[in-house]
Amino acid sequence: MPLISNNVPKINEVSQLTYGIDIGGTKIEIGVFSSELALIDSWRAPTPTENYQEFINTIVTLVNEANVRYEKKGMVGIGMPGIIDKNGLVKSANIPCATGKNIIEDLSLALACEISTGNDCRLFALSESIGGSGDGYKRVYGAIIGTGAAGGLCIDGHIYHGRNGFAGEYGHIPVSAYLIDKYNLPILACGCGLKGCYEPYVSGPGLGWLYEHFGARTSNTHHFVQQLNDNERIATTTFDCYMDLLGASFVSLILSYDPDVIVVGGGISKIDKVVEMLPQYVDKHLFTGIDCPPIIKAKYGDSSGVRGAAILRTQLVEN
Ligand SMILES: [Zn+2]
């Protein structure tokens, strides 16, 4: 008797498949979703970062594999880091070969179908606002605190893009002068080319930098968490300063968007104490009498990229 895996999809029950493709700096992941947004399957390929034609071919191969595997032609939604304008022009990405290219035009042609594209952090917010931790709230802000610090706002389950497509980039708001002075911190250069943004202080590498700055012999955040749990002095000093900075950065986004809920994802969101204590540190920097909105952990975490990309594509059909 053949062994049947639980993962074998009931293809006949699926009327329409949507592929969410999450393009990262090192790998490209495809997620196959049913029309009810159930993840059926996913797999990955390495990201070609230097050769644009290879980059396009890798995505086409992933889509063709899915079409063959499920004997259907799925709809395609793409998520990637950087700013992609409404015409598909990639303006800034950590995939050098894609910068300056029109990814919507090139991929639509190569795949012979209509595609949608979005920024990966905005798609994280979209995924959490529909069926995720932010479900049921009108204005959901999704904040990634990981390699970088970025996010996005969704209103009624739709991304608020703004004029340039970068609404939600809270990591590039200038850091509070009051906190730089309070902790006697240097002004750090940011990956975006500016100086004094929040990101180099509040991202995962930022936490590691602060830990070393306050005297630790390592910037390893796992080491930091262990020491924090032991109430070690350098770790608690770092935590206080880090949470003050992160809280103030969240106040900037609360003042800008006034969301009903903030859903957090990324590596730092896995440190329970950070998420638990964050509202208290936000309140320190908010107007008296104004409460911090609920701050909760993401439901979909690492699969938010493919899920958000698939949702965005289904919304293209609805509109
Ligand atoms: Zn910046």
Side-chain angles (χ1 to χ4, degrees), residues 25-213:
T26 54
K27 51 91 191 162
I28 301 176
E29 181 173 356
I30 183 167
V32 178
F33 290 86
S34 72
S35 45
E36 289 80 30
L37 276 177
L39 179 64
I40 296 169
D41 200 354
S42 69
W43 61 98
R44 296 166 168 196
T47 309
T49 55
E50 302 301 328
N51 183 323
Y52 185 63
Q53 196 51 54
E54 270 179 37
F55 172 77
I56 293 289
N57 291 347
T58 301
I59 297 167
V60 171
T61 303
L62 286 168
V63 170
N64 287 341
E65 271 171 22
N67 286 339
V68 169
R69 203 180 280 198
Y70 293 97
E71 297 171 353
K72 280 179 186 290
K73 197 163 159 49
M75 301 191 298
V76 181
I78 309 268
M80 64 185 295
I83 309 297
I84 307 157
D85 77 7
K86 52 181 175 289
N87 299 315
L89 199 66
V90 180
K91 291 192 166 168
S92 139
N94 61 356
I95 298 147
C97 68
T99 301
K101 297 288 199 299
N102 193 314
I103 191 167
I104 292 187
E105 223 170 73
D106 297 338
L107 269 177
S108 301
L109 198 68
L111 292 166
C113 69
E114 197 176 10
I115 64 160
S116 65
T117 58
N119 167 277
D120 53 356
C121 296
R122 257 67 90 196
L123 293 176
F124 162 76
L126 182 63
S127 172
E128 289 301 325
S129 76
I130 297 178
S133 294
D135 202 300
Y137 291 93
K138 184 176 175 70
R139 289 163 290 253
V140 178
Y141 189 93
I144 301 268
I145 323 166
T147 314
L153 178 75
C154 285
I155 304 171
D156 294 323
H158 287 85
I159 299 171
Y160 172 70
H161 292 283
R163 189 166 76 92
N164 292 292
F166 60 55
E169 293 285 341
Y170 78 95
H172 303 287
I173 291 171
V175 68
S176 155
Y178 162 68
L179 292 178
I180 289 290
D181 184 55
K182 179 180 173 184
Y183 293 102
N184 196 22
L185 296 171
I187 302 290
L188 298 180
C190 181
C192 72
L194 298 173
K195 291 190 173 72
C197 299
Y198 271 110
E199 188 174 83
Y201 302 89
V202 303
S203 60
L207 173 59
W209 178 84
L210 278 173
Y211 191 36
E212 267 192 319
H213 177 74

Side-chain angles (χ1 to χ4, degrees), residues 289-310:
I290 305 290
D291 288 336
C292 175
I295 298 177
I296 45 182
K297 280 192 186 187
K299 180 175 177 183
Y300 288 101
D302 295 341
S303 60
S304 276
V306 287
R307 192 170 179 277

